[in-house]
PDB file of all heavy atoms in Angstrom:
ATOM      1  N   ARG A 251       0.830  -1.207  -0.011  1.00  0.00           N
ATOM      2  CA  ARG A 251       0.001   0.010  -0.010  1.00  0.00           C
ATOM      3  C   ARG A 251       0.857   1.281  -0.002  1.00  0.00           C
ATOM      4  O   ARG A 251       0.373   2.366  -0.296  1.00  0.00           O
ATOM      5  CB  ARG A 251      -0.945   0.014   1.212  1.00  0.00           C
ATOM      6  CG  ARG A 251      -2.155  -0.883   1.068  1.00  0.00           C
ATOM      7  CD  ARG A 251      -3.326  -0.167   0.380  1.00  0.00           C
ATOM      8  NE  ARG A 251      -4.427  -1.087   0.096  1.00  0.00           N
ATOM      9  CZ  ARG A 251      -5.416  -1.306   0.957  1.00  0.00           C
ATOM     10  NH1 ARG A 251      -5.445  -0.701   2.118  1.00  0.00           N
ATOM     11  NH2 ARG A 251      -6.380  -2.150   0.630  1.00  0.00           N
ATOM     12  N   ASN A 252       2.147   1.133   0.342  1.00  0.00           N
ATOM     13  CA  ASN A 252       3.073   2.271   0.344  1.00  0.00           C
ATOM     14  C   ASN A 252       3.715   2.497  -1.040  1.00  0.00           C
ATOM     15  O   ASN A 252       4.499   3.430  -1.194  1.00  0.00           O
ATOM     16  CB  ASN A 252       4.178   2.045   1.367  1.00  0.00           C
ATOM     17  CG  ASN A 252       3.679   2.089   2.790  1.00  0.00           C
ATOM     18  OD1 ASN A 252       2.640   2.682   3.077  1.00  0.00           O
ATOM     19  ND2 ASN A 252       4.416   1.435   3.711  1.00  0.00           N
ATOM     20  N   ILE A 253       3.382   1.635  -1.977  1.00  0.00           N
ATOM     21  CA  ILE A 253       3.999   1.718  -3.314  1.00  0.00           C
ATOM     22  C   ILE A 253       2.911   1.990  -4.337  1.00  0.00           C
ATOM     23  O   ILE A 253       1.981   1.186  -4.483  1.00  0.00           O
ATOM     24  CB  ILE A 253       4.718   0.413  -3.650  1.00  0.00           C
ATOM     25  CG1 ILE A 253       5.675   0.024  -2.523  1.00  0.00           C
ATOM     26  CG2 ILE A 253       5.447   0.519  -4.972  1.00  0.00           C
ATOM     27  CD1 ILE A 253       6.209  -1.368  -2.617  1.00  0.00           C
ATOM     28  N   ILE A 254       2.991   3.143  -5.020  1.00  0.00           N
ATOM     29  CA  ILE A 254       1.889   3.566  -5.889  1.00  0.00           C
ATOM     30  C   ILE A 254       2.345   3.480  -7.362  1.00  0.00           C
ATOM     31  O   ILE A 254       3.357   4.103  -7.754  1.00  0.00           O
ATOM     32  CB  ILE A 254       1.488   5.030  -5.583  1.00  0.00           C
ATOM     33  CG1 ILE A 254       1.217   5.196  -4.069  1.00  0.00           C
ATOM     34  CG2 ILE A 254       0.259   5.381  -6.389  1.00  0.00           C
ATOM     35  CD1 ILE A 254       0.166   4.291  -3.479  1.00  0.00           C
ATOM     36  N   LEU A 255       1.592   2.692  -8.131  1.00  0.00           N
ATOM     37  CA  LEU A 255       1.820   2.570  -9.549  1.00  0.00           C
ATOM     38  C   LEU A 255       0.990   3.603 -10.282  1.00  0.00           C
ATOM     39  O   LEU A 255      -0.210   3.769 -10.024  1.00  0.00           O
ATOM     40  CB  LEU A 255       1.382   1.172 -10.026  1.00  0.00           C
ATOM     41  CG  LEU A 255       1.415   0.917 -11.537  1.00  0.00           C
ATOM     42  CD1 LEU A 255       2.854   0.933 -12.080  1.00  0.00           C
ATOM     43  CD2 LEU A 255       0.714  -0.407 -11.867  1.00  0.00           C
ATOM     44  N   ARG A 256       1.625   4.346 -11.195  1.00  0.00           N
ATOM     45  CA  ARG A 256       0.906   5.301 -12.033  1.00  0.00           C
ATOM     46  C   ARG A 256       1.345   5.149 -13.481  1.00  0.00           C
ATOM     47  O   ARG A 256       2.530   4.861 -13.751  1.00  0.00           O
ATOM     48  CB  ARG A 256       1.206   6.757 -11.576  1.00  0.00           C
ATOM     49  CG  ARG A 256       0.680   7.085 -10.183  1.00  0.00           C
ATOM     50  CD  ARG A 256       0.908   8.553  -9.828  1.00  0.00           C
ATOM     51  NE  ARG A 256       0.370   8.907  -8.526  1.00  0.00           N
ATOM     52  CZ  ARG A 256       1.047   8.817  -7.384  1.00  0.00           C
ATOM     53  NH1 ARG A 256       2.321   8.410  -7.373  1.00  0.00           N
ATOM     54  NH2 ARG A 256       0.471   9.127  -6.232  1.00  0.00           N
ATOM     55  N   ILE A 257       0.378   5.330 -14.386  1.00  0.00           N
ATOM     56  CA  ILE A 257       0.673   5.307 -15.800  1.00  0.00           C
ATOM     57  C   ILE A 257      -0.011   6.514 -16.448  1.00  0.00           C
ATOM     58  O   ILE A 257      -1.197   6.770 -16.210  1.00  0.00           O
ATOM     59  CB  ILE A 257       0.172   4.006 -16.481  1.00  0.00           C
ATOM     60  CG1 ILE A 257       0.794   2.783 -15.798  1.00  0.00           C
ATOM     61  CG2 ILE A 257       0.571   3.979 -17.977  1.00  0.00           C
ATOM     62  CD1 ILE A 257       0.334   1.430 -16.338  1.00  0.00           C
ATOM     63  N   TYR A 258       0.746   7.217 -17.280  1.00  0.00           N
ATOM     64  CA  TYR A 258       0.272   8.437 -17.975  1.00  0.00           C
ATOM     65  C   TYR A 258       0.315   8.163 -19.479  1.00  0.00           C
ATOM     66  O   TYR A 258       1.300   7.662 -20.003  1.00  0.00           O
ATOM     67  CB  TYR A 258       1.194   9.625 -17.650  1.00  0.00           C
ATOM     68  CG  TYR A 258       1.344   9.953 -16.197  1.00  0.00           C
ATOM     69  CD1 TYR A 258       2.209   9.211 -15.384  1.00  0.00           C
ATOM     70  CD2 TYR A 258       0.675  11.040 -15.640  1.00  0.00           C
ATOM     71  CE1 TYR A 258       2.381   9.537 -14.035  1.00  0.00           C
ATOM     72  CE2 TYR A 258       0.845  11.377 -14.302  1.00  0.00           C
ATOM     73  CZ  TYR A 258       1.684  10.604 -13.489  1.00  0.00           C
ATOM     74  OH  TYR A 258       1.856  10.925 -12.169  1.00  0.00           O
ATOM     75  N   TRP A 259      -0.789   8.496 -20.154  1.00  0.00           N
ATOM     76  CA  TRP A 259      -0.886   8.287 -21.597  1.00  0.00           C
ATOM     77  C   TRP A 259      -0.809   9.617 -22.370  1.00  0.00           C
ATOM     78  O   TRP A 259      -1.472  10.584 -21.993  1.00  0.00           O
ATOM     79  CB  TRP A 259      -2.196   7.583 -21.955  1.00  0.00           C
ATOM     80  CG  TRP A 259      -2.444   6.276 -21.310  1.00  0.00           C
ATOM     81  CD1 TRP A 259      -3.526   5.924 -20.570  1.00  0.00           C
ATOM     82  CD2 TRP A 259      -1.601   5.095 -21.332  1.00  0.00           C
ATOM     83  NE1 TRP A 259      -3.441   4.617 -20.127  1.00  0.00           N
ATOM     84  CE2 TRP A 259      -2.262   4.081 -20.601  1.00  0.00           C
ATOM     85  CE3 TRP A 259      -0.375   4.827 -21.930  1.00  0.00           C
ATOM     86  CZ2 TRP A 259      -1.731   2.800 -20.431  1.00  0.00           C
ATOM     87  CZ3 TRP A 259       0.157   3.561 -21.749  1.00  0.00           C
ATOM     88  CH2 TRP A 259      -0.522   2.555 -21.022  1.00  0.00           C
ATOM     89  N   ASP A 260      -0.028   9.598 -23.449  1.00  0.00           N
ATOM     90  CA  ASP A 260      -0.029  10.653 -24.451  1.00  0.00           C
ATOM     91  C   ASP A 260       0.130  12.048 -23.862  1.00  0.00           C
ATOM     92  O   ASP A 260      -0.469  13.032 -24.328  1.00  0.00           O
ATOM     93  CB  ASP A 260      -1.340  10.596 -25.272  1.00  0.00           C
ATOM     94  CG  ASP A 260      -1.375   9.396 -26.182  1.00  0.00           C
ATOM     95  OD1 ASP A 260      -0.441   8.561 -26.113  1.00  0.00           O
ATOM     96  OD2 ASP A 260      -2.339   9.246 -26.951  1.00  0.00           O
ATOM     97  N   GLY A 261       0.981  12.183 -22.856  1.00  0.00           N
ATOM     98  CA  GLY A 261       1.322  13.491 -22.317  1.00  0.00           C
ATOM     99  C   GLY A 261       0.319  14.098 -21.370  1.00  0.00           C
ATOM    100  O   GLY A 261       0.493  15.280 -21.001  1.00  0.00           O
ATOM    101  N   GLN A 262      -0.720  13.384 -20.949  1.00  0.00           N
ATOM    102  CA  GLN A 262      -1.649  13.949 -19.967  1.00  0.00           C
ATOM    103  C   GLN A 262      -0.914  14.257 -18.655  1.00  0.00           C
ATOM    104  O   GLN A 262      -0.022  13.528 -18.247  1.00  0.00           O
ATOM    105  CB  GLN A 262      -2.797  12.994 -19.702  1.00  0.00           C
ATOM    106  CG  GLN A 262      -3.835  12.884 -20.792  1.00  0.00           C
ATOM    107  CD  GLN A 262      -5.135  12.249 -20.324  1.00  0.00           C
ATOM    108  OE1 GLN A 262      -6.225  12.653 -20.708  1.00  0.00           O
ATOM    109  NE2 GLN A 262      -5.030  11.216 -19.496  1.00  0.00           N
ATOM    110  N   ASP A 263      -1.308  15.359 -17.999  1.00  0.00           N
ATOM    111  CA  ASP A 263      -0.689  15.766 -16.755  1.00  0.00           C
ATOM    112  C   ASP A 263      -1.079  14.862 -15.586  1.00  0.00           C
ATOM    113  O   ASP A 263      -0.405  14.794 -14.583  1.00  0.00           O
ATOM    114  CB  ASP A 263      -1.062  17.204 -16.414  1.00  0.00           C
ATOM    115  CG  ASP A 263      -0.481  18.186 -17.393  1.00  0.00           C
ATOM    116  OD1 ASP A 263       0.575  17.880 -17.994  1.00  0.00           O
ATOM    117  OD2 ASP A 263      -1.084  19.258 -17.576  1.00  0.00           O
ATOM    118  N   PHE A 264      -2.210  14.177 -15.694  1.00  0.00           N
ATOM    119  CA  PHE A 264      -2.700  13.333 -14.615  1.00  0.00           C
ATOM    120  C   PHE A 264      -2.730  11.877 -15.093  1.00  0.00           C
ATOM    121  O   PHE A 264      -2.820  11.589 -16.293  1.00  0.00           O
ATOM    122  CB  PHE A 264      -4.120  13.770 -14.178  1.00  0.00           C
ATOM    123  CG  PHE A 264      -5.109  13.936 -15.338  1.00  0.00           C
ATOM    124  CD1 PHE A 264      -5.835  12.856 -15.795  1.00  0.00           C
ATOM    125  CD2 PHE A 264      -5.261  15.163 -15.942  1.00  0.00           C
ATOM    126  CE1 PHE A 264      -6.733  12.989 -16.836  1.00  0.00           C
ATOM    127  CE2 PHE A 264      -6.165  15.311 -16.991  1.00  0.00           C
ATOM    128  CZ  PHE A 264      -6.886  14.236 -17.440  1.00  0.00           C
ATOM    129  N   PRO A 265      -2.586  10.933 -14.164  1.00  0.00           N
ATOM    130  CA  PRO A 265      -2.470   9.530 -14.541  1.00  0.00           C
ATOM    131  C   PRO A 265      -3.818   8.940 -14.938  1.00  0.00           C
ATOM    132  O   PRO A 265      -4.865   9.303 -14.397  1.00  0.00           O
ATOM    133  CB  PRO A 265      -1.904   8.864 -13.288  1.00  0.00           C
ATOM    134  CG  PRO A 265      -2.403   9.717 -12.174  1.00  0.00           C
ATOM    135  CD  PRO A 265      -2.423  11.117 -12.704  1.00  0.00           C
ATOM    136  N   SER A 266      -3.756   7.923 -15.777  1.00  0.00           N
ATOM    137  CA  SER A 266      -4.928   7.091 -16.093  1.00  0.00           C
ATOM    138  C   SER A 266      -4.926   5.821 -15.260  1.00  0.00           C
ATOM    139  O   SER A 266      -5.947   5.126 -15.172  1.00  0.00           O
ATOM    140  CB  SER A 266      -4.936   6.737 -17.597  1.00  0.00           C
ATOM    141  OG  SER A 266      -5.108   7.866 -18.376  1.00  0.00           O
ATOM    142  N   VAL A 267      -3.789   5.495 -14.662  1.00  0.00           N
ATOM    143  CA  VAL A 267      -3.673   4.395 -13.679  1.00  0.00           C
ATOM    144  C   VAL A 267      -3.060   5.002 -12.443  1.00  0.00           C
ATOM    145  O   VAL A 267      -1.982   5.620 -12.504  1.00  0.00           O
ATOM    146  CB  VAL A 267      -2.817   3.259 -14.232  1.00  0.00           C
ATOM    147  CG1 VAL A 267      -2.542   2.220 -13.149  1.00  0.00           C
ATOM    148  CG2 VAL A 267      -3.436   2.618 -15.451  1.00  0.00           C
ATOM    149  N   GLU A 268      -3.713   4.829 -11.316  1.00  0.00           N
ATOM    150  CA  GLU A 268      -3.181   5.270 -10.024  1.00  0.00           C
ATOM    151  C   GLU A 268      -3.686   4.317  -8.981  1.00  0.00           C
ATOM    152  O   GLU A 268      -4.863   4.289  -8.632  1.00  0.00           O
ATOM    153  CB  GLU A 268      -3.580   6.708  -9.688  1.00  0.00           C
ATOM    154  CG  GLU A 268      -2.895   7.231  -8.407  1.00  0.00           C
ATOM    155  CD  GLU A 268      -3.203   8.693  -8.155  1.00  0.00           C
ATOM    156  OE1 GLU A 268      -4.410   9.034  -8.159  1.00  0.00           O
ATOM    157  OE2 GLU A 268      -2.261   9.474  -7.962  1.00  0.00           O
ATOM    158  N   CYS A 269      -2.777   3.492  -8.435  1.00  0.00           N
ATOM    159  CA  CYS A 269      -3.216   2.386  -7.582  1.00  0.00           C
ATOM    160  C   CYS A 269      -2.062   1.861  -6.741  1.00  0.00           C
ATOM    161  O   CYS A 269      -0.929   1.713  -7.249  1.00  0.00           O
ATOM    162  CB  CYS A 269      -3.731   1.250  -8.488  1.00  0.00           C
ATOM    163  SG  CYS A 269      -4.517  -0.133  -7.633  1.00  0.00           S
ATOM    164  N   PRO A 270      -2.322   1.543  -5.482  1.00  0.00           N
ATOM    165  CA  PRO A 270      -1.305   0.831  -4.728  1.00  0.00           C
ATOM    166  C   PRO A 270      -0.934  -0.471  -5.434  1.00  0.00           C
ATOM    167  O   PRO A 270      -1.804  -1.161  -5.955  1.00  0.00           O
ATOM    168  CB  PRO A 270      -1.993   0.558  -3.380  1.00  0.00           C
ATOM    169  CG  PRO A 270      -3.015   1.649  -3.248  1.00  0.00           C
ATOM    170  CD  PRO A 270      -3.499   1.870  -4.672  1.00  0.00           C
ATOM    171  N   LEU A 271       0.343  -0.806  -5.392  1.00  0.00           N
ATOM    172  CA  LEU A 271       0.832  -1.906  -6.212  1.00  0.00           C
ATOM    173  C   LEU A 271       0.148  -3.222  -5.889  1.00  0.00           C
ATOM    174  O   LEU A 271      -0.276  -3.971  -6.778  1.00  0.00           O
ATOM    175  CB  LEU A 271       2.359  -2.042  -6.023  1.00  0.00           C
ATOM    176  CG  LEU A 271       3.025  -3.016  -6.979  1.00  0.00           C
ATOM    177  CD1 LEU A 271       3.033  -2.496  -8.376  1.00  0.00           C
ATOM    178  CD2 LEU A 271       4.457  -3.305  -6.511  1.00  0.00           C
ATOM    179  N   GLY A 272       0.023  -3.561  -4.607  1.00  0.00           N
ATOM    180  CA  GLY A 272      -0.591  -4.845  -4.242  1.00  0.00           C
ATOM    181  C   GLY A 272      -2.023  -4.936  -4.704  1.00  0.00           C
ATOM    182  O   GLY A 272      -2.458  -5.968  -5.180  1.00  0.00           O
ATOM    183  N   ASP A 273      -2.768  -3.855  -4.534  1.00  0.00           N
ATOM    184  CA  ASP A 273      -4.188  -3.874  -4.950  1.00  0.00           C
ATOM    185  C   ASP A 273      -4.334  -4.071  -6.461  1.00  0.00           C
ATOM    186  O   ASP A 273      -5.244  -4.751  -6.905  1.00  0.00           O
ATOM    187  CB  ASP A 273      -4.885  -2.575  -4.514  1.00  0.00           C
ATOM    188  CG  ASP A 273      -4.955  -2.466  -2.998  1.00  0.00           C
ATOM    189  OD1 ASP A 273      -3.974  -2.001  -2.385  1.00  0.00           O
ATOM    190  OD2 ASP A 273      -5.986  -2.858  -2.427  1.00  0.00           O
ATOM    191  N   PHE A 274      -3.436  -3.468  -7.229  1.00  0.00           N
ATOM    192  CA  PHE A 274      -3.489  -3.674  -8.703  1.00  0.00           C
ATOM    193  C   PHE A 274      -3.350  -5.128  -9.061  1.00  0.00           C
ATOM    194  O   PHE A 274      -3.935  -5.586 -10.037  1.00  0.00           O
ATOM    195  CB  PHE A 274      -2.388  -2.827  -9.372  1.00  0.00           C
ATOM    196  CG  PHE A 274      -2.429  -2.879 -10.872  1.00  0.00           C
ATOM    197  CD1 PHE A 274      -3.231  -1.974 -11.585  1.00  0.00           C
ATOM    198  CD2 PHE A 274      -1.700  -3.803 -11.584  1.00  0.00           C
ATOM    199  CE1 PHE A 274      -3.262  -2.023 -12.991  1.00  0.00           C
ATOM    200  CE2 PHE A 274      -1.725  -3.853 -12.934  1.00  0.00           C
ATOM    201  CZ  PHE A 274      -2.503  -2.956 -13.669  1.00  0.00           C
ATOM    202  N   PHE A 275      -2.568  -5.853  -8.260  1.00  0.00           N
ATOM    203  CA  PHE A 275      -2.340  -7.295  -8.504  1.00  0.00           C
ATOM    204  C   PHE A 275      -3.133  -8.184  -7.582  1.00  0.00           C
ATOM    205  O   PHE A 275      -2.719  -9.313  -7.278  1.00  0.00           O
ATOM    206  CB  PHE A 275      -0.832  -7.600  -8.418  1.00  0.00           C
ATOM    207  CG  PHE A 275      -0.014  -7.001  -9.533  1.00  0.00           C
ATOM    208  CD1 PHE A 275       0.685  -5.829  -9.381  1.00  0.00           C
ATOM    209  CD2 PHE A 275       0.001  -7.617 -10.780  1.00  0.00           C
ATOM    210  CE1 PHE A 275       1.420  -5.285 -10.389  1.00  0.00           C
ATOM    211  CE2 PHE A 275       0.740  -7.066 -11.824  1.00  0.00           C
ATOM    212  CZ  PHE A 275       1.450  -5.900 -11.627  1.00  0.00           C
ATOM    213  N   CYS A 276      -4.297  -7.689  -7.117  1.00  0.00           N
ATOM    214  CA  CYS A 276      -5.229  -8.498  -6.325  1.00  0.00           C
ATOM    215  C   CYS A 276      -4.689  -8.930  -4.980  1.00  0.00           C
ATOM    216  O   CYS A 276      -5.178  -9.924  -4.413  1.00  0.00           O
ATOM    217  CB  CYS A 276      -5.669  -9.742  -7.128  1.00  0.00           C
ATOM    218  SG  CYS A 276      -6.369  -9.412  -8.765  1.00  0.00           S
ATOM    219  N   CYS A 277      -3.673  -8.227  -4.459  1.00  0.00           N
ATOM    220  CA  CYS A 277      -3.066  -8.538  -3.180  1.00  0.00           C
ATOM    221  C   CYS A 277      -3.211  -7.337  -2.251  1.00  0.00           C
ATOM    222  O   CYS A 277      -2.250  -6.744  -1.811  1.00  0.00           O
ATOM    223  CB  CYS A 277      -1.628  -8.933  -3.333  1.00  0.00           C
ATOM    224  SG  CYS A 277      -1.347 -10.487  -4.261  1.00  0.00           S
ATOM    225  N   GLY A 278      -4.478  -6.980  -1.963  1.00  0.00           N
ATOM    226  CA  GLY A 278      -4.753  -5.735  -1.244  1.00  0.00           C
ATOM    227  C   GLY A 278      -4.432  -5.803   0.230  1.00  0.00           C
ATOM    228  O   GLY A 278      -4.359  -4.770   0.885  1.00  0.00           O
ATOM    229  N   TRP A 279      -4.222  -6.982   0.792  1.00  0.00           N
ATOM    230  CA  TRP A 279      -3.970  -7.106   2.235  1.00  0.00           C
ATOM    231  C   TRP A 279      -2.507  -7.292   2.556  1.00  0.00           C
ATOM    232  O   TRP A 279      -2.153  -7.784   3.629  1.00  0.00           O
ATOM    233  CB  TRP A 279      -4.836  -8.237   2.814  1.00  0.00           C
ATOM    234  CG  TRP A 279      -6.293  -7.980   2.733  1.00  0.00           C
ATOM    235  CD1 TRP A 279      -7.226  -8.748   2.110  1.00  0.00           C
ATOM    236  CD2 TRP A 279      -6.997  -6.874   3.298  1.00  0.00           C
ATOM    237  NE1 TRP A 279      -8.467  -8.200   2.215  1.00  0.00           N
ATOM    238  CE2 TRP A 279      -8.359  -7.028   2.970  1.00  0.00           C
ATOM    239  CE3 TRP A 279      -6.641  -5.761   4.063  1.00  0.00           C
ATOM    240  CZ2 TRP A 279      -9.355  -6.129   3.339  1.00  0.00           C
ATOM    241  CZ3 TRP A 279      -7.600  -4.865   4.441  1.00  0.00           C
ATOM    242  CH2 TRP A 279      -8.930  -5.046   4.087  1.00  0.00           C
ATOM    243  N   ASN A 280      -1.625  -6.916   1.635  1.00  0.00           N
ATOM    244  CA  ASN A 280      -0.174  -7.024   1.851  1.00  0.00           C
ATOM    245  C   ASN A 280       0.276  -8.442   2.096  1.00  0.00           C
ATOM    246  O   ASN A 280       1.303  -8.698   2.763  1.00  0.00           O
ATOM    247  CB  ASN A 280       0.284  -6.135   3.019  1.00  0.00           C
ATOM    248  CG  ASN A 280       0.283  -4.664   2.664  1.00  0.00           C
ATOM    249  OD1 ASN A 280       0.246  -4.283   1.511  1.00  0.00           O
ATOM    250  ND2 ASN A 280       0.298  -3.807   3.676  1.00  0.00           N
ATOM    251  N   GLU A 281      -0.465  -9.394   1.589  1.00  0.00           N
ATOM    252  CA  GLU A 281      -0.087 -10.810   1.663  1.00  0.00           C
ATOM    253  C   GLU A 281       0.007 -11.360   0.249  1.00  0.00           C
ATOM    254  O   GLU A 281      -0.891 -11.119  -0.584  1.00  0.00           O
ATOM    255  CB  GLU A 281      -1.142 -11.609   2.465  1.00  0.00           C
ATOM    256  CG  GLU A 281      -1.315 -11.163   3.923  1.00  0.00           C
ATOM    257  CD  GLU A 281      -0.201 -11.662   4.805  1.00  0.00           C
ATOM    258  OE1 GLU A 281       0.573 -12.514   4.359  1.00  0.00           O
ATOM    259  OE2 GLU A 281      -0.145 -11.183   5.954  1.00  0.00           O
ATOM    260  N   GLU A 282       1.059 -12.100  -0.012  1.00  0.00           N
ATOM    261  CA  GLU A 282       1.181 -12.697  -1.334  1.00  0.00           C
ATOM    262  C   GLU A 282       0.146 -13.789  -1.548  1.00  0.00           C
ATOM    263  O   GLU A 282       0.013 -14.676  -0.722  1.00  0.00           O
ATOM    264  CB  GLU A 282       2.581 -13.320  -1.545  1.00  0.00           C
ATOM    265  CG  GLU A 282       2.762 -13.971  -2.891  1.00  0.00           C
ATOM    266  CD  GLU A 282       4.125 -14.654  -3.028  1.00  0.00           C
ATOM    267  OE1 GLU A 282       4.853 -14.707  -2.005  1.00  0.00           O
ATOM    268  OE2 GLU A 282       4.427 -15.148  -4.105  1.00  0.00           O
ATOM    269  N   GLU A 283      -0.626 -13.668  -2.615  1.00  0.00           N
ATOM    270  CA  GLU A 283      -1.658 -14.652  -2.929  1.00  0.00           C
ATOM    271  C   GLU A 283      -1.441 -15.149  -4.360  1.00  0.00           C
ATOM    272  O   GLU A 283      -1.282 -14.337  -5.285  1.00  0.00           O
ATOM    273  CB  GLU A 283      -3.054 -14.003  -2.810  1.00  0.00           C
ATOM    274  CG  GLU A 283      -3.348 -13.361  -1.465  1.00  0.00           C
ATOM    275  CD  GLU A 283      -3.421 -14.346  -0.314  1.00  0.00           C
ATOM    276  OE1 GLU A 283      -3.567 -15.567  -0.585  1.00  0.00           O
ATOM    277  OE2 GLU A 283      -3.273 -13.922   0.838  1.00  0.00           O
ATOM    278  N   GLN A 284      -1.417 -16.443  -4.524  1.00  0.00           N
ATOM    279  CA  GLN A 284      -1.221 -16.990  -5.871  1.00  0.00           C
ATOM    280  C   GLN A 284      -2.477 -16.729  -6.707  1.00  0.00           C
ATOM    281  O   GLN A 284      -3.616 -17.038  -6.265  1.00  0.00           O
ATOM    282  CB  GLN A 284      -0.924 -18.493  -5.774  1.00  0.00           C
ATOM    283  CG  GLN A 284      -0.355 -19.086  -7.067  1.00  0.00           C
ATOM    284  CD  GLN A 284      -1.438 -19.493  -8.038  1.00  0.00           C
ATOM    285  OE1 GLN A 284      -2.493 -19.984  -7.615  1.00  0.00           O
ATOM    286  NE2 GLN A 284      -1.194 -19.348  -9.321  1.00  0.00           N
ATOM    287  N   ILE A 285      -2.323 -16.119  -7.846  1.00  0.00           N
ATOM    288  CA  ILE A 285      -3.424 -15.758  -8.741  1.00  0.00           C
ATOM    289  C   ILE A 285      -3.188 -16.392 -10.108  1.00  0.00           C
ATOM    290  O   ILE A 285      -2.097 -16.226 -10.695  1.00  0.00           O
ATOM    291  CB  ILE A 285      -3.555 -14.216  -8.927  1.00  0.00           C
ATOM    292  CG1 ILE A 285      -3.655 -13.511  -7.585  1.00  0.00           C
ATOM    293  CG2 ILE A 285      -4.754 -13.921  -9.830  1.00  0.00           C
ATOM    294  CD1 ILE A 285      -4.913 -13.778  -6.839  1.00  0.00           C
ATOM    295  N   THR A 286      -4.166 -17.094 -10.600  1.00  0.00           N
ATOM    296  CA  THR A 286      -4.087 -17.658 -11.970  1.00  0.00           C
ATOM    297  C   THR A 286      -5.281 -17.115 -12.749  1.00  0.00           C
ATOM    298  O   THR A 286      -6.403 -17.656 -12.670  1.00  0.00           O
ATOM    299  CB  THR A 286      -4.117 -19.196 -11.938  1.00  0.00           C
ATOM    300  OG1 THR A 286      -3.046 -19.658 -11.137  1.00  0.00           O
ATOM    301  CG2 THR A 286      -3.994 -19.777 -13.344  1.00  0.00           C
ATOM    302  N   SER A 287      -5.073 -16.021 -13.454  1.00  0.00           N
ATOM    303  CA  SER A 287      -6.148 -15.481 -14.296  1.00  0.00           C
ATOM    304  C   SER A 287      -5.512 -15.008 -15.615  1.00  0.00           C
ATOM    305  O   SER A 287      -4.291 -14.995 -15.779  1.00  0.00           O
ATOM    306  CB  SER A 287      -6.837 -14.318 -13.567  1.00  0.00           C
ATOM    307  OG  SER A 287      -6.103 -13.107 -13.652  1.00  0.00           O
ATOM    308  N   LEU A 288      -6.373 -14.644 -16.542  1.00  0.00           N
ATOM    309  CA  LEU A 288      -5.835 -14.260 -17.854  1.00  0.00           C
ATOM    310  C   LEU A 288      -5.029 -12.981 -17.805  1.00  0.00           C
ATOM    311  O   LEU A 288      -3.882 -12.936 -18.290  1.00  0.00           O
ATOM    312  CB  LEU A 288      -6.982 -14.138 -18.869  1.00  0.00           C
ATOM    313  CG  LEU A 288      -7.570 -15.452 -19.346  1.00  0.00           C
ATOM    314  CD1 LEU A 288      -8.739 -15.209 -20.279  1.00  0.00           C
ATOM    315  CD2 LEU A 288      -6.517 -16.292 -20.055  1.00  0.00           C
ATOM    316  N   PRO A 289      -5.529 -11.872 -17.256  1.00  0.00           N
ATOM    317  CA  PRO A 289      -4.766 -10.635 -17.295  1.00  0.00           C
ATOM    318  C   PRO A 289      -3.806 -10.399 -16.140  1.00  0.00           C
ATOM    319  O   PRO A 289      -2.898  -9.630 -16.245  1.00  0.00           O
ATOM    320  CB  PRO A 289      -5.843  -9.567 -17.340  1.00  0.00           C
ATOM    321  CG  PRO A 289      -6.958 -10.133 -16.539  1.00  0.00           C
ATOM    322  CD  PRO A 289      -6.917 -11.616 -16.830  1.00  0.00           C
ATOM    323  N   ILE A 290      -4.032 -11.074 -15.014  1.00  0.00           N
ATOM    324  CA  ILE A 290      -3.201 -10.914 -13.836  1.00  0.00           C
ATOM    325  C   ILE A 290      -2.763 -12.267 -13.344  1.00  0.00           C
ATOM    326  O   ILE A 290      -3.590 -13.173 -13.092  1.00  0.00           O
ATOM    327  CB  ILE A 290      -3.951 -10.143 -12.712  1.00  0.00           C
ATOM    328  CG1 ILE A 290      -4.244  -8.717 -13.122  1.00  0.00           C
ATOM    329  CG2 ILE A 290      -3.126 -10.182 -11.418  1.00  0.00           C
ATOM    330  CD1 ILE A 290      -3.042  -7.809 -13.276  1.00  0.00           C
ATOM    331  N   CYS A 291      -1.439 -12.421 -13.109  1.00  0.00           N
ATOM    332  CA  CYS A 291      -0.907 -13.606 -12.465  1.00  0.00           C
ATOM    333  C   CYS A 291       0.026 -13.176 -11.338  1.00  0.00           C
ATOM    334  O   CYS A 291       0.820 -12.249 -11.493  1.00  0.00           O
ATOM    335  CB  CYS A 291      -0.097 -14.469 -13.451  1.00  0.00           C
ATOM    336  SG  CYS A 291      -1.094 -15.192 -14.801  1.00  0.00           S
TER     337      CYS A 291
END
């Protein structure tokens, strides 16, 4: 939760992705969880 992922497209001043790293990867409770899905592993 202390690590924030951001992605900016085509020079926009504000991000289109802004999310704590674990939550983006379905690990919102700071615990590693094995995930087998199409877009996120």
Side-chain angles (χ1 to χ4, degrees):
R251 282 273 173 90
N252 292 336
I253 307 168
I254 310 302
L255 173 68
R256 295 184 178 90
I257 304 178
Y258 303 78
W259 302 125
D260 289 4
Q262 286 195 142
D263 294 332
F264 51 87
S266 295
V267 173
E268 185 175 52
C269 186
L271 188 69
D273 293 86
F274 185 87
F275 289 100
C276 305
C277 295
W279 295 121
N280 286 343
E281 299 283 348
E282 179 184 6
E283 305 294 341
Q284 195 274 324
I285 307 291
T286 303
S287 80
L288 286 177
I290 294 292
C291 295

